[in-house]
Amino acid sequence: MTKEREADIAGHYTDGALFERLCALLATDGADPNHPTLADLAPYDQFHGRAFEATRELADLFDPGPGGHLLDIGCGIGGPARYLADRYGCRVTGIDLTEEFIDVARRLTDLVGMADRVSFELGNALAMPFDDDSFDGAFCMNVSMNIEDKDGFYRETLRVLRPGAPLVLSELASGNPAAIEYPTPWADTEAASFLVSVEDTVSGLQAAGFHVENVRDATEANLEFGKRSKAMLDRGEKPPHRGVHLIHGPALAKVATANTAKGIISGNLVPIEVLCRKEV
């Protein structure tokens, strides 16, 4: 990935005022921005389909124990990393291409008192600053849509995992990429969107050296989540997933989420959850 491409992708997610916007939103929720809880942050710090619900299900696939060390690839502002560290008492390291995400992730982690277990590094998923065989497991939620070199991404992830360690991916695959409407939460145009089919995802992971244990089509789960969220809005309540609005603002978020929903309903976008493992 060129430096220009890195800057374009990172720029899609950042404007320099993310922490201040989050604090203001927490205050309107009745939370103390200076002493937030994980529950206070959950509507905002889970920037992926089905938000905290999906993170909780992903966590069910891990059992790292208090001595385990997990890697969050494309960590955003750190919500999933903090949740897994809190749930299991393990260590989690997050990596992301967007500098503002890393800054906010560190500040929030300090505020909730978890800096001894959760850390964040600025970096590229295609060239991670970690030694071989460093991690007991890795997860990646709605990230690889921005990665063109899927083979390089899978190989690099394999490199930093210990033998037998799991990798869990929660991503959007393509049913018909030509029919996807933009903007979306991950890209303003198709120039920064690199979707592949479910079959190509599986074959790419296998070619890199992963054993694919399970592939779940999460279309129905996403549609049901959308119905519940709409019902909450219709009742005048805040929806459970407010991360897209936090990062992109209400106007862009409305269009981006609508385009994603249309894509999933039509089958042009296929939400999938993949559990695979580095061969022993």
Side-chain angles (χ1 to χ4, degrees), residues 23-272:
C23 289
L25 289 168
L26 289 171
T28 64
D29 291 343
D32 181 354
N34 295 313
H35 300 92
T37 66
L38 293 185
D40 293 333
L41 296 174
Y44 303 104
D45 65 3
Q46 314 281 329
F47 186 59
H48 48 261
R50 295 194 298 126
F52 177 68
E53 181 177 296
T55 301
R56 187 176 61 242
E57 292 178 6
L58 173 145
D60 291 340
L61 301 174
F62 289 100
D63 187 16
H69 190 187
L70 301 180
L71 173 64
D72 182 355
I73 306 170
C75 59
I77 61 174
R82 287 186 290 272
Y83 172 72
L84 266 78
D86 180 69
R87 174 169 171 173
Y88 291 114
C90 64
R91 290 189 299 138
V92 182
T93 297
I95 184 171
D96 203 284
L97 196 62
T98 302
E99 186 172 3
E100 187 176 24
F101 279 178
I102 295 299
D103 175 64
V104 174
R106 289 170 175 165
R107 294 171 75 173
L108 294 176
T109 302
D110 284 338
L111 288 176
V112 298
M114 296 184 68
D116 59 328
R117 285 178 285 159
V118 185
S119 61
F120 300 96
E121 299 288 341
L122 181 67
N124 190 324
L126 294 173
M128 291 188 273
F130 309 120
D131 293 335
D132 295 356
D133 304 331
S134 292
F135 296 96
D136 300 299
F139 54 99
C140 182
M141 306 189 75
N142 285 35
V143 173
S144 76
M145 296 100 72
N146 284 134
I147 299 176
E148 184 174 15
D149 183 5
K150 298 288 192 292
D151 293 339
F153 168 55
Y154 299 148
R155 290 193 302 269
E156 180 66 354
T157 303
L158 187 86
R159 180 186 69 78
V160 301
L161 287 174
R162 296 190 176 103
L167 166 67
V168 181
L169 298 173
S170 175
E171 305 291 351
L172 285 165
S174 66
N176 180 6
I180 297 168
E181 297 181 40
Y182 292 90
T184 63
W186 66 91
D188 288 329
T189 71
E190 64 181 5
S193 182
F194 306 103
L195 306 183
V196 298
S197 67
V198 178
E199 295 76 16
D200 285 345
T201 299
V202 172
S203 63
L205 287 164
Q206 291 172 333
F210 284 101
H211 171 64
V212 178
E213 296 184 0
N214 188 57
V215 181
R216 178 193 179 207
D217 184 329
T219 297
E220 289 304 317
N222 275 264
L223 294 178
E224 195 273 333
F225 181 86
K227 290 177 183 177
R228 280 188 280 122
S229 298
K230 183 179 184 303
M232 293 175 70
L233 286 169
D234 291 343
R235 294 194 299 267
E237 302 171 11
K238 293 181 178 180
H241 184 6
R242 306 198 280 279
V244 180
H245 289 72
L246 165 68
I247 290 170
H248 291 314
L252 177 56
K254 183 177 181 179
V255 177
T257 54
N259 285 340
T260 302
K262 283 191 289 186
I264 293 173
I265 291 168
S266 65
N268 296 324
L269 291 171
V270 184
I272 58 172

